[in-house]
Amino acid sequence: MSHKNVTGDTTTPAELDAFRELQRLAYRAAEDVAASLEPGVTEREAARRIREHLESHGVRDWFHTPFAWFGDRTAFRNLRVPLQFFPTRRRLEKGMPFILDCAPVRDGYVADIGYSGVLGRSPLHDRLVDDLGAHRDLIVERVRAGDTLQDVYRAVDDLIRAQGYDNRHRVYPGRVIAHQVGRVRSRLPRAIVAGFGVRSLQTLFGDLLVERLHHRSPLWADGDISAHPATPGLWAVEPHIGFRDMGAKFEEILVVTEDDAFWLDDDLPHVRHRTPAAVPLSA
């Protein structure tokens, strides 16, 4: 299957395989680091472990460097400025939730993933991760039906409220639930500025300019700029839900063609985690 993306290039089956391989590598890094976490490790140390894991597998560039959030920071409570999103010296404790997020670039291909876990056991955290599965189903079904991105975003909001949670991706810069990804084609030297790769940022800003000319955006939020169906291409989608001081999310690539939409890979940790739907929580 092939389709046109926003830059006019054709994404071939072989290229989709390359995106899928990198996404799986990123999730394996998150799983391996999650398994290595112990009480006392800091967010910065967890993020460093992810970076070293991926660099040992050929990653030399980044859309953004790894993030790690522990405890109530998984629900993005009191995060108001971009610098507060970066890893801190917060230490992990037993029973504490965590989110690991990374966006490696390899051979021009990009992955952007989010992995939710907990140190020990937490039925509440298990339920949050299970309930994210309904959002995964809803998003692909509504995009496939041709709904506007704005309407899909609002449907996700409605489902979050029905489940008894609150929307945490609205705290992200621009309130985005997703952004487009594609091949990074830049002659700039590899460099990181404020946690983001300059080559990837150049690609994103180029897409932003092109899409704005068509009154669209490669950033998916709930504003009027998203009042159009999904542009064919690859979207890194990250619904993020919270219950009090605990949050959970996933992030993975959604493939959108002229007449279809599908998740790039169904063999991912949060998909394998799913159990029958649970009764919604009451706040």
Side-chain angles (χ1 to χ4, degrees):
M1 181 178 295
S2 65
H3 64 278
K4 295 289 185 179
N5 67 20
V6 294
T7 62
D9 299 323
T10 299
T11 303
T12 66
E15 289 177 317
L16 288 181
D17 286 343
F19 280 107
R20 186 181 299 108
E21 180 183 354
L22 182 59
Q23 181 172 265
R24 288 184 176 181
L25 174 64
Y27 263 111
R28 284 198 302 273
E31 288 186 288
D32 289 350
V33 169
S36 79
L37 296 178
E38 66 281 337
V41 69
T42 66
E43 292 179 347
R44 290 180 180 178
E45 171 66 15
R48 184 186 64 79
R49 292 181 189 181
I50 298 170
R51 182 166 186 161
E52 290 178 350
H53 188 296
L54 289 167
E55 288 177 343
S56 73
H57 288 81
V59 171
R60 298 292 179 267
D61 199 6
W62 304 87
F63 177 71
H64 67 70
T65 54
F67 292 102
W69 301 292
F70 295 168
D72 62 349
R73 282 171 53 80
T74 63
F76 285 9
R77 304 299 181 192
N78 302 313
L79 271 64
R80 295 186 175 88
V81 297
L83 288 177
Q84 293 177 309
F85 288 86
F86 287 97
T88 70
R89 293 187 175 89
R90 168 73 66 87
R91 295 187 181 277
L92 193 62
E93 301 174 8
K94 191 171 182 59
M96 186 177 280
F98 58 85
I99 294 175
L100 307 176
D101 187 306
C102 62
V105 178
R106 189 174 67 173
D107 299 327
Y109 295 95
V110 181
D112 198 348
I113 69 98
Y115 177 89
S116 294
V118 64
L119 188 64
R121 295 286 301 166
S122 170
L124 172 58
H125 187 270
D126 286 346
R127 180 170 292 188
L128 263 69
V129 176
D130 285 340
D131 285 347
L132 279 168
H135 295 277
R136 191 174 190 268
D137 294 340
L138 180 149
I139 289 166
V140 71
E141 290 168 1
R142 298 290 294 267
V143 171
R144 184 178 289 150
D147 291 359
T148 70
L149 296 179
Q150 184 183 50
D151 285 343
V152 180
Y153 191 111
R154 292 171 177 174
V156 169
D157 267 357
D158 290 343
L159 179 55
I160 290 172
R161 285 191 291 269
Q163 290 174 323
Y165 306 133
D166 61 309
N167 175 339
R168 303 318 297 155
H169 49 264
R170 65 182 173 84
V171 183
Y172 293 11
R175 300 173 59 91
V176 298
I177 193 175
H179 59 87
Q180 282 193 299
V181 296
R183 294 291 300 275
V184 174
R185 295 180 174 86
S186 172
R187 296 183 179 179
L188 292 176
R190 295 188 183 96
I192 302 298
V193 176
F196 286 82
V198 296
R199 289 152 51 103
S200 297
L201 287 177
Q202 182 189 38
T203 301
L204 179 62
F205 288 146
D207 291 346
L208 184 62
L209 290 174
V210 171
E211 289 295 274
R212 285 290 185 174
L213 291 175
H214 296 87
H215 306 289
R216 301 185 304 241
S217 173
L219 305 176
W220 174 356
D222 56 348
D224 290 342
I225 196 66
S226 294
H228 61 84
T231 304
L234 308 183
W235 293 81
V237 184
E238 50 183 331
H240 189 159
I241 61 178
F243 183 75
R244 297 175 182 165
D245 286 338
M246 182 176 288
K249 63 174 274 187
F250 67 78
E251 185 171 11
E252 59 173 306
I253 291 176
L254 179 70
V255 182
V256 180
T257 72
E258 296 290 350
D259 55 6
D260 197 9
F262 56 92
W263 295 107
L264 180 63
D265 193 359
D266 286 323
D267 187 17
L268 298 176
H270 51 280
V271 181
R272 297 192 296 267
H273 186 278
R274 292 183 69 173
T275 60
V279 177
L281 294 168
S282 58

